Amino acid sequence: MPYATGTLRDPTQVRAFDPAAVTGRRLTPPAAGGRAHIWLLHAARHRAAVVRAAPDVLDVQERARAAALRVPTDRECYLATHLGLRLLLGAYLGTEPARVPLTRWACPLCGGPHGRPGVVGDPLHYSLSHSGGLGLLAFAAVPVGVDVEAVPSPAAVAEAADALHPRERDELALLPPSARPRAFARAWVRKEAYLKGLGVGLAESPASCYVGTGTEPAGTDRAWLLTDVPVGRGAAGAVAELAVR
């Protein structure tokens, strides 16, 4: 599978999401040949906006998925991130957020309707992720994938290390135990962002691609650009964009 490295993104290039600042506005979409627009959302900061707007903006399926989440903070983060998605898509496309026609493209592996999420007509590519109270959203003129994850516990890393590429497992083994959780998180978000960009998600084994556990992504192929996204202490983020040739 192809992927390429990118340098760490400057924190100023990550846009802070504020519902009040985007509601009713028109945003310029990402340009062809330009980099993805990255938005970082802190769910707890937008509780009032979510309570007020989510029932009217989110569709039946989105509200049902949120209601099925048993942990209140997970539900809060899901609602905030999906509300943010619709508000931003509405601002980019000049459409009422509740009327943005979301869809799922065919899976490249099996052809089923569970591939990369998108907008009917393909006017703009997007990806979203939420974890630990954070939402990360990416919008681009090309296929894109994004992931954010809370840094796991040492015990969780020990249990999940087999899901990494063999080279990444070797890298983790060389690190002191205290450094392994963050290194694991870096590798994991890079993998998920890349696999989401491809449209296959975790239907493809995350051990199949090498992205590295170090402070910068690893890779050589130029088909995809893989970039770490700074999301603050206690979490890791990454974005994968199809490279424009």
Side-chain angles (χ1 to χ4, degrees), residues 11-242:
T12 61
Q13 294 177 285
V14 181
R15 306 171 185 216
F17 175 77
D18 179 357
V22 301
T23 300
R25 285 188 57 195
R26 186 67 190 268
L27 297 175
T28 302
R35 297 300 303 273
H37 291 183
I38 309 296
W39 295 82
L40 179 63
L41 177 154
H42 294 264
R45 298 178 185 176
H46 309 304
R47 289 191 181 107
V50 171
V51 170
R52 182 172 60 253
D56 295 325
V57 174
L58 301 185
D59 65 22
V60 173
Q61 290 80 12
E62 288 166 321
R63 297 197 301 271
R65 292 188 194 104
L69 297 173
R70 296 185 177 183
V71 180
T73 52
D74 291 345
R75 186 164 56 249
E76 175 183 80
C77 197
Y78 177 98
L79 288 169
T81 304
H82 283 260
L83 176 64
L85 171 69
R86 284 192 170 270
L87 292 178
L88 288 165
L89 283 173
Y92 280 126
L93 301 175
T95 304
E96 286 293 324
R99 297 173 66 87
V100 175
L102 302 181
T103 189
R104 281 273 185 178
W105 304 120
C107 171
L109 295 179
C110 70
H114 49 260
R116 188 187 309 109
V119 180
V120 173
D122 226 11
L124 183 66
H125 297 271
Y126 76 86
S127 182
L128 80 162
S129 178
H130 45 85
S131 175
L134 297 176
L136 196 61
L137 303 104
F139 302 86
V142 296
V144 64
V146 75
D147 194 53
V148 64
E149 300 286 347
V151 175
S153 68
V157 171
E159 291 178 3
D162 285 347
L164 298 182
H165 187 278
R167 287 177 61 188
E168 293 158 352
R169 295 200 295 268
D170 290 343
E171 291 170 3
L172 278 188
L174 293 174
L175 294 174
S178 61
R180 291 173 189 167
R182 179 157 291 278
F184 177 92
R186 285 194 294 260
W188 191 260
V189 295
R190 293 166 187 167
K191 289 175 184 292
E192 281 229 46
Y194 169 62
L195 295 173
K196 285 182 177 181
L198 289 178
V200 300
L202 292 179
E204 179 72 33
S205 170
S208 65
C209 57
Y210 173 72
V211 295
T213 63
T215 56
E216 296 210 21
T220 56
D221 197 301
R222 301 308 302 174
W224 286 81
L225 182 62
L226 185 58
T227 309
D228 287 343
V229 179
V231 293
R233 293 174 60 87
V239 60
E241 306 165 62
L242 186 65

